[in-house]
Amino acid sequence: NAGVTQTPKFQVLKTGQSMTLQCAQDMNHEYMSWYRQDPGMGLRLIHYSVGAGITDQGEVPNGYNVSRSTTEDFPLRLLSAAPSQTSVYFCASQGLTSGNTIYFGEGSWLTVV
Amino acid sequence: DQQVKQNSPSLSVQEGRISILNCDYTNSMFDYFLWYKKYPAEGPTFLISISSIKDKNEDGRFTVFLNKSAKHLSLHIVPSQPGDSAVYFCAASAPRSNYQLIWGAGTKLIIKP
């Protein structure tokens, strides 16, 4: 009963480094998304995808890149990490026929120094 | 400009009593509202939702009330239990928004023994 799986759970990066947060779901959901959560703020949408080969920007896309080559996987790439990208990142998925119920991964804690 | 506001960052309630968490929104186009619960070091999990065609939805100890004229919704937990201690997020979506949710900043609920 895996649901949404994110890796890594914790990561420390130096400014300017790049990295990829992995996300996989086994529920055959069409819709996948990445959020970041910062203290005192709600979840903010970074990028989302409504199906394989289709991605779009959310509220805070700058500095991030995504691709959706399969239904299951939706990796998030940090191109050149900055301290402002220190945050908790959540991957999520939902089936487009199941209303707006979103299923989240456990989160990835990223620190950029 | 926050479209979804949870004005109480935290709330402390005695075990067995009622917990009431509030959420206000500004966008009259929102037609679907959700509450998510989040424990530390875990992803948010879906709790309960309500469509704008209803003014109340109940699921066990959890009831969500929607007041469209006041653009206000609330989550009632009765009776409150220690396991209810968590951060609660309110989220909303509008038609034709490509399934995007707008999130409040969350309210940390602490249930005192």
Side-chain angles (χ1 to χ4, degrees), chain B residues 58-105:
Chain B
E58 205 168 346
D59 184 2
R61 296 187 297 114
F62 302 92
T63 303
V64 56
F65 295 92
L66 176 62
N67 182 334
K68 288 186 289 294
S69 61
K71 295 192 182 68
H72 176 83
L73 66 156
S74 60
L75 174 69
H76 293 212
I77 306 173
V78 184
S80 301
Q81 298 175 353
D84 297 329
S85 294
V87 177
Y88 290 79
F89 290 98
C90 168
S93 70
R96 295 177 295 281
S97 63
N98 227 357
Y99 306 96
Q100 292 190 44
L101 293 176
I102 307 298
W103 296 78

Short mmCIF file of all heavy atoms in Angstrom, two decimals, chain B residues 58-105:
data_model
loop_
_atom_site.label_atom_id
_atom_site.label_comp_id
_atom_site.label_asym_id
_atom_site.label_seq_id
_atom_site.Cartn_x
_atom_site.Cartn_y
_atom_site.Cartn_z
N GLU B 58 -20.86 15.73 7.42
CA GLU B 58 -20.48 15.08 8.67
C GLU B 58 -19.81 13.76 8.40
O GLU B 58 -20.22 13.00 7.51
CB GLU B 58 -21.76 14.84 9.48
CG GLU B 58 -21.60 14.74 10.95
CD GLU B 58 -22.97 14.79 11.67
OE1 GLU B 58 -23.97 15.16 11.04
OE2 GLU B 58 -23.00 14.44 12.84
N ASP B 59 -18.77 13.46 9.18
CA ASP B 59 -18.11 12.18 9.07
C ASP B 59 -17.59 11.80 10.44
O ASP B 59 -16.52 12.25 10.86
CB ASP B 59 -16.97 12.25 8.05
CG ASP B 59 -16.30 10.90 7.84
OD1 ASP B 59 -16.73 9.89 8.46
OD2 ASP B 59 -15.33 10.82 7.06
N GLY B 60 -18.39 11.01 11.15
CA GLY B 60 -17.98 10.61 12.49
C GLY B 60 -17.89 11.81 13.42
O GLY B 60 -18.85 12.57 13.58
N ARG B 61 -16.73 11.98 14.02
CA ARG B 61 -16.55 13.09 14.97
C ARG B 61 -16.31 14.43 14.27
O ARG B 61 -16.24 15.46 14.93
CB ARG B 61 -15.35 12.78 15.87
CG ARG B 61 -15.51 11.57 16.77
CD ARG B 61 -14.35 11.43 17.75
NE ARG B 61 -13.08 11.20 17.07
CZ ARG B 61 -12.08 12.06 17.09
NH1 ARG B 61 -12.18 13.22 17.74
NH2 ARG B 61 -10.94 11.77 16.47
N PHE B 62 -16.17 14.41 12.96
CA PHE B 62 -15.81 15.61 12.21
C PHE B 62 -17.01 16.13 11.41
O PHE B 62 -17.66 15.37 10.70
CB PHE B 62 -14.65 15.29 11.26
CG PHE B 62 -13.43 14.76 11.95
CD1 PHE B 62 -13.24 13.39 12.10
CD2 PHE B 62 -12.49 15.63 12.47
CE1 PHE B 62 -12.12 12.90 12.76
CE2 PHE B 62 -11.36 15.15 13.12
CZ PHE B 62 -11.18 13.79 13.27
N THR B 63 -17.25 17.43 11.56
CA THR B 63 -18.30 18.08 10.80
C THR B 63 -17.74 19.37 10.22
O THR B 63 -17.08 20.14 10.94
CB THR B 63 -19.51 18.41 11.69
OG1 THR B 63 -20.00 17.21 12.29
CG2 THR B 63 -20.64 19.04 10.86
N VAL B 64 -18.00 19.59 8.96
CA VAL B 64 -17.60 20.85 8.33
C VAL B 64 -18.87 21.64 8.01
O VAL B 64 -19.84 21.08 7.48
CB VAL B 64 -16.72 20.63 7.09
CG1 VAL B 64 -17.38 19.75 6.06
CG2 VAL B 64 -16.31 21.96 6.48
N PHE B 65 -18.85 22.91 8.36
CA PHE B 65 -19.96 23.82 8.09
C PHE B 65 -19.48 24.87 7.08
O PHE B 65 -18.38 25.39 7.20
CB PHE B 65 -20.42 24.52 9.36
CG PHE B 65 -21.01 23.60 10.38
CD1 PHE B 65 -20.21 23.03 11.37
CD2 PHE B 65 -22.36 23.29 10.36
CE1 PHE B 65 -20.74 22.18 12.32
CE2 PHE B 65 -22.91 22.44 11.31
CZ PHE B 65 -22.10 21.87 12.29
N LEU B 66 -20.35 25.18 6.13
CA LEU B 66 -20.02 26.19 5.12
C LEU B 66 -21.07 27.30 5.15
O LEU B 66 -22.26 27.02 5.01
CB LEU B 66 -19.95 25.56 3.74
CG LEU B 66 -19.71 26.52 2.57
CD1 LEU B 66 -18.37 27.22 2.70
CD2 LEU B 66 -19.78 25.77 1.24
N ASN B 67 -20.62 28.52 5.31
CA ASN B 67 -21.49 29.70 5.25
C ASN B 67 -21.05 30.53 4.05
O ASN B 67 -20.09 31.31 4.12
CB ASN B 67 -21.37 30.50 6.55
CG ASN B 67 -22.28 31.71 6.57
OD1 ASN B 67 -22.66 32.26 5.54
ND2 ASN B 67 -22.66 32.13 7.77
N LYS B 68 -21.75 30.33 2.94
CA LYS B 68 -21.31 30.97 1.69
C LYS B 68 -21.44 32.48 1.74
O LYS B 68 -20.62 33.21 1.19
CB LYS B 68 -22.10 30.40 0.52
CG LYS B 68 -21.71 28.97 0.17
CD LYS B 68 -22.39 28.47 -1.06
CE LYS B 68 -23.87 28.22 -0.86
NZ LYS B 68 -24.10 27.08 0.08
N SER B 69 -22.48 32.96 2.38
CA SER B 69 -22.68 34.41 2.42
C SER B 69 -21.57 35.10 3.18
O SER B 69 -21.16 36.21 2.85
CB SER B 69 -24.05 34.75 3.01
OG SER B 69 -24.13 34.27 4.34
N ALA B 70 -21.06 34.42 4.21
CA ALA B 70 -19.97 34.98 5.00
C ALA B 70 -18.60 34.56 4.47
O ALA B 70 -17.57 34.99 4.99
CB ALA B 70 -20.10 34.56 6.46
N LYS B 71 -18.59 33.68 3.48
CA LYS B 71 -17.34 33.12 2.94
C LYS B 71 -16.51 32.54 4.08
O LYS B 71 -15.32 32.88 4.27
CB LYS B 71 -16.54 34.15 2.15
CG LYS B 71 -17.23 34.65 0.88
CD LYS B 71 -16.26 35.43 0.02
CE LYS B 71 -16.90 35.98 -1.23
NZ LYS B 71 -17.89 37.04 -0.96
N HIS B 72 -17.14 31.67 4.81
CA HIS B 72 -16.52 31.13 6.02
C HIS B 72 -16.85 29.65 6.14
O HIS B 72 -17.99 29.22 5.87
CB HIS B 72 -17.07 31.87 7.25
CG HIS B 72 -16.57 31.33 8.55
ND1 HIS B 72 -15.36 31.69 9.08
CD2 HIS B 72 -17.13 30.44 9.42
CE1 HIS B 72 -15.18 31.04 10.22
NE2 HIS B 72 -16.25 30.29 10.46
N LEU B 73 -15.86 28.87 6.50
CA LEU B 73 -16.15 27.48 6.85
C LEU B 73 -15.44 27.13 8.15
O LEU B 73 -14.47 27.79 8.54
CB LEU B 73 -15.78 26.50 5.74
CG LEU B 73 -14.35 26.28 5.31
CD1 LEU B 73 -14.23 24.91 4.67
CD2 LEU B 73 -13.94 27.32 4.28
N SER B 74 -16.00 26.13 8.80
CA SER B 74 -15.43 25.72 10.07
C SER B 74 -15.44 24.20 10.16
O SER B 74 -16.29 23.52 9.57
CB SER B 74 -16.19 26.34 11.24
OG SER B 74 -17.55 25.93 11.22
N LEU B 75 -14.49 23.70 10.90
CA LEU B 75 -14.37 22.27 11.16
C LEU B 75 -14.61 22.05 12.65
O LEU B 75 -13.92 22.66 13.48
CB LEU B 75 -12.99 21.76 10.76
CG LEU B 75 -12.67 20.31 11.11
CD1 LEU B 75 -13.52 19.36 10.27
CD2 LEU B 75 -11.19 20.02 10.91
N HIS B 76 -15.57 21.21 12.97
CA HIS B 76 -15.87 20.89 14.35
C HIS B 76 -15.43 19.46 14.63
O HIS B 76 -15.75 18.54 13.85
CB HIS B 76 -17.37 21.02 14.63
CG HIS B 76 -17.87 22.43 14.56
ND1 HIS B 76 -18.92 22.88 15.34
CD2 HIS B 76 -17.47 23.49 13.82
CE1 HIS B 76 -19.14 24.16 15.07
NE2 HIS B 76 -18.29 24.55 14.15
N ILE B 77 -14.74 19.28 15.74
CA ILE B 77 -14.31 17.96 16.16
C ILE B 77 -14.91 17.70 17.54
O ILE B 77 -14.61 18.43 18.49
CB ILE B 77 -12.77 17.86 16.22
CG1 ILE B 77 -12.14 18.28 14.89
CG2 ILE B 77 -12.36 16.42 16.57
CD1 ILE B 77 -10.62 18.37 14.93
N VAL B 78 -15.78 16.69 17.60
CA VAL B 78 -16.44 16.39 18.86
C VAL B 78 -16.53 14.87 19.08
O VAL B 78 -17.08 14.19 18.19
CB VAL B 78 -17.88 16.97 18.90
CG1 VAL B 78 -18.52 16.73 20.27
CG2 VAL B 78 -17.89 18.45 18.58
N PRO B 79 -16.08 14.32 20.21
CA PRO B 79 -15.25 15.01 21.19
C PRO B 79 -13.79 15.01 20.75
O PRO B 79 -13.36 14.13 20.00
CB PRO B 79 -15.43 14.12 22.43
CG PRO B 79 -15.63 12.75 21.85
CD PRO B 79 -16.37 12.94 20.56
N SER B 80 -13.03 15.97 21.19
CA SER B 80 -11.62 16.04 20.84
C SER B 80 -10.83 14.97 21.58
O SER B 80 -11.07 14.70 22.77
CB SER B 80 -11.05 17.42 21.20
OG SER B 80 -11.76 18.42 20.50
N GLN B 81 -9.89 14.36 20.84
CA GLN B 81 -9.08 13.29 21.40
C GLN B 81 -7.60 13.67 21.26
O GLN B 81 -7.24 14.44 20.37
CB GLN B 81 -9.36 11.98 20.67
CG GLN B 81 -10.79 11.50 20.80
CD GLN B 81 -11.09 10.27 19.97
OE1 GLN B 81 -10.25 9.81 19.19
NE2 GLN B 81 -12.28 9.70 20.16
N PRO B 82 -6.74 13.08 22.08
CA PRO B 82 -5.30 13.42 21.99
C PRO B 82 -4.72 13.22 20.58
O PRO B 82 -3.88 14.00 20.14
CB PRO B 82 -4.66 12.45 23.00
CG PRO B 82 -5.74 12.21 24.01
CD PRO B 82 -7.03 12.19 23.22
N GLY B 83 -5.19 12.20 19.88
CA GLY B 83 -4.70 11.94 18.53
C GLY B 83 -5.10 12.99 17.52
O GLY B 83 -4.60 12.99 16.39
N ASP B 84 -5.98 13.90 17.93
CA ASP B 84 -6.38 14.99 17.02
C ASP B 84 -5.35 16.11 17.01
O ASP B 84 -5.45 17.03 16.20
CB ASP B 84 -7.74 15.56 17.44
CG ASP B 84 -8.86 14.54 17.33
OD1 ASP B 84 -8.78 13.65 16.45
OD2 ASP B 84 -9.82 14.63 18.13
N SER B 85 -4.40 16.08 17.91
CA SER B 85 -3.35 17.11 17.94
C SER B 85 -2.55 17.03 16.65
O SER B 85 -1.90 16.03 16.36
CB SER B 85 -2.42 16.89 19.15
OG SER B 85 -3.11 17.09 20.36
N ALA B 86 -2.62 18.09 15.87
CA ALA B 86 -2.01 18.11 14.54
C ALA B 86 -2.19 19.52 13.97
O ALA B 86 -2.82 20.38 14.60
CB ALA B 86 -2.68 17.09 13.61
N VAL B 87 -1.64 19.73 12.80
CA VAL B 87 -1.90 20.98 12.07
C VAL B 87 -3.02 20.69 11.07
O VAL B 87 -2.97 19.69 10.35
CB VAL B 87 -0.66 21.49 11.34
CG1 VAL B 87 -0.99 22.74 10.53
CG2 VAL B 87 0.45 21.79 12.35
N TYR B 88 -4.01 21.57 11.03
CA TYR B 88 -5.15 21.41 10.14
C TYR B 88 -5.11 22.49 9.06
O TYR B 88 -5.03 23.68 9.37
CB TYR B 88 -6.46 21.49 10.92
CG TYR B 88 -6.67 20.28 11.80
CD1 TYR B 88 -6.00 20.18 13.03
CD2 TYR B 88 -7.49 19.24 11.41
CE1 TYR B 88 -6.15 19.06 13.83
CE2 TYR B 88 -7.66 18.12 12.20
CZ TYR B 88 -6.99 18.04 13.41
OH TYR B 88 -7.15 16.93 14.20
N PHE B 89 -5.18 22.04 7.82
CA PHE B 89 -5.17 22.96 6.69
C PHE B 89 -6.53 22.98 6.02
O PHE B 89 -7.14 21.93 5.79
CB PHE B 89 -4.14 22.53 5.64
CG PHE B 89 -2.71 22.71 6.07
CD1 PHE B 89 -1.99 21.64 6.57
CD2 PHE B 89 -2.07 23.94 5.95
CE1 PHE B 89 -0.67 21.79 6.97
CE2 PHE B 89 -0.75 24.11 6.33
CZ PHE B 89 -0.05 23.02 6.85
N CYS B 90 -6.96 24.15 5.69
CA CYS B 90 -8.15 24.36 4.89
C CYS B 90 -7.69 24.63 3.46
O CYS B 90 -6.67 25.30 3.25
CB CYS B 90 -8.88 25.56 5.48
SG CYS B 90 -10.19 26.25 4.50
N ALA B 91 -8.42 24.10 2.47
CA ALA B 91 -8.06 24.34 1.08
C ALA B 91 -9.33 24.51 0.25
O ALA B 91 -10.39 23.99 0.62
CB ALA B 91 -7.22 23.19 0.53
N ALA B 92 -9.21 25.22 -0.86
CA ALA B 92 -10.39 25.49 -1.68
C ALA B 92 -10.01 25.42 -3.15
O ALA B 92 -8.87 25.66 -3.53
CB ALA B 92 -10.94 26.88 -1.36
N SER B 93 -11.02 25.11 -3.96
CA SER B 93 -10.79 25.10 -5.41
C SER B 93 -11.97 25.73 -6.12
O SER B 93 -13.08 25.79 -5.59
CB SER B 93 -10.55 23.69 -5.94
OG SER B 93 -11.75 22.94 -5.87
N ALA B 94 -11.70 26.20 -7.33
CA ALA B 94 -12.72 26.84 -8.15
C ALA B 94 -12.93 26.03 -9.41
O ALA B 94 -12.04 25.29 -9.83
CB ALA B 94 -12.29 28.27 -8.49
N PRO B 95 -14.07 26.15 -10.05
CA PRO B 95 -14.31 25.43 -11.31
C PRO B 95 -13.29 25.85 -12.36
O PRO B 95 -12.81 26.99 -12.38
CB PRO B 95 -15.71 25.88 -11.72
CG PRO B 95 -16.35 26.42 -10.49
CD PRO B 95 -15.23 26.95 -9.64
N ARG B 96 -12.93 24.91 -13.21
CA ARG B 96 -12.02 25.18 -14.33
C ARG B 96 -10.67 25.73 -13.85
O ARG B 96 -10.01 26.48 -14.55
CB ARG B 96 -12.65 26.14 -15.33
CG ARG B 96 -13.87 25.55 -16.03
CD ARG B 96 -14.51 26.56 -16.96
NE ARG B 96 -15.06 27.71 -16.26
CZ ARG B 96 -16.21 27.72 -15.62
NH1 ARG B 96 -16.95 26.62 -15.58
NH2 ARG B 96 -16.64 28.80 -15.01
N SER B 97 -10.28 25.33 -12.64
CA SER B 97 -8.99 25.78 -12.13
C SER B 97 -7.93 24.71 -12.33
O SER B 97 -6.86 24.78 -11.73
CB SER B 97 -9.11 26.11 -10.63
OG SER B 97 -9.44 24.93 -9.90
N ASN B 98 -8.23 23.73 -13.15
CA ASN B 98 -7.29 22.64 -13.41
C ASN B 98 -6.92 21.89 -12.12
O ASN B 98 -5.77 21.52 -11.93
CB ASN B 98 -6.04 23.16 -14.10
CG ASN B 98 -5.65 22.32 -15.30
OD1 ASN B 98 -6.28 21.30 -15.60
ND2 ASN B 98 -4.61 22.72 -15.98
N TYR B 99 -7.93 21.71 -11.26
CA TYR B 99 -7.80 20.93 -10.03
C TYR B 99 -6.85 21.56 -9.03
O TYR B 99 -6.44 20.92 -8.08
CB TYR B 99 -7.35 19.49 -10.34
CG TYR B 99 -8.24 18.82 -11.34
CD1 TYR B 99 -7.91 18.81 -12.68
CD2 TYR B 99 -9.44 18.23 -10.94
CE1 TYR B 99 -8.75 18.22 -13.62
CE2 TYR B 99 -10.27 17.64 -11.87
CZ TYR B 99 -9.93 17.63 -13.21
OH TYR B 99 -10.75 17.06 -14.13
N GLN B 100 -6.47 22.80 -9.23
CA GLN B 100 -5.55 23.44 -8.29
C GLN B 100 -6.28 23.83 -7.02
O GLN B 100 -7.41 24.31 -7.04
CB GLN B 100 -4.93 24.67 -8.94
CG GLN B 100 -4.00 24.35 -10.09
CD GLN B 100 -3.22 25.55 -10.56
OE1 GLN B 100 -2.71 26.31 -9.76
NE2 GLN B 100 -3.13 25.72 -11.86
N LEU B 101 -5.60 23.63 -5.91
CA LEU B 101 -6.13 24.00 -4.61
C LEU B 101 -5.38 25.21 -4.08
O LEU B 101 -4.17 25.33 -4.27
CB LEU B 101 -5.99 22.84 -3.61
CG LEU B 101 -6.83 21.59 -3.87
CD1 LEU B 101 -6.49 20.52 -2.85
CD2 LEU B 101 -8.30 21.92 -3.83
N ILE B 102 -6.10 26.08 -3.39
CA ILE B 102 -5.51 27.20 -2.68
C ILE B 102 -5.59 26.87 -1.19
O ILE B 102 -6.68 26.54 -0.68
CB ILE B 102 -6.24 28.52 -2.98
CG1 ILE B 102 -6.32 28.76 -4.49
CG2 ILE B 102 -5.54 29.68 -2.28
CD1 ILE B 102 -4.99 28.88 -5.19
N TRP B 103 -4.44 26.99 -0.51
CA TRP B 103 -4.34 26.50 0.86
C TRP B 103 -4.24 27.64 1.86
O TRP B 103 -3.62 28.67 1.60
CB TRP B 103 -3.09 25.63 1.00
CG TRP B 103 -3.13 24.39 0.18
CD1 TRP B 103 -2.89 24.28 -1.16
CD2 TRP B 103 -3.44 23.07 0.63
NE1 TRP B 103 -3.04 22.98 -1.56
CE2 TRP B 103 -3.37 22.22 -0.49
CE3 TRP B 103 -3.76 22.53 1.89
CZ2 TRP B 103 -3.60 20.84 -0.39
CZ3 TRP B 103 -4.00 21.17 1.98
CH2 TRP B 103 -3.92 20.35 0.84
N GLY B 104 -4.84 27.41 3.03
CA GLY B 104 -4.61 28.28 4.16
C GLY B 104 -3.27 27.93 4.81
O GLY B 104 -2.65 26.93 4.47
N ALA B 105 -2.86 28.77 5.76
CA ALA B 105 -1.55 28.59 6.41
C ALA B 105 -1.56 27.53 7.49
O ALA B 105 -0.51 27.15 7.99
CB ALA B 105 -1.07 29.91 6.98
#
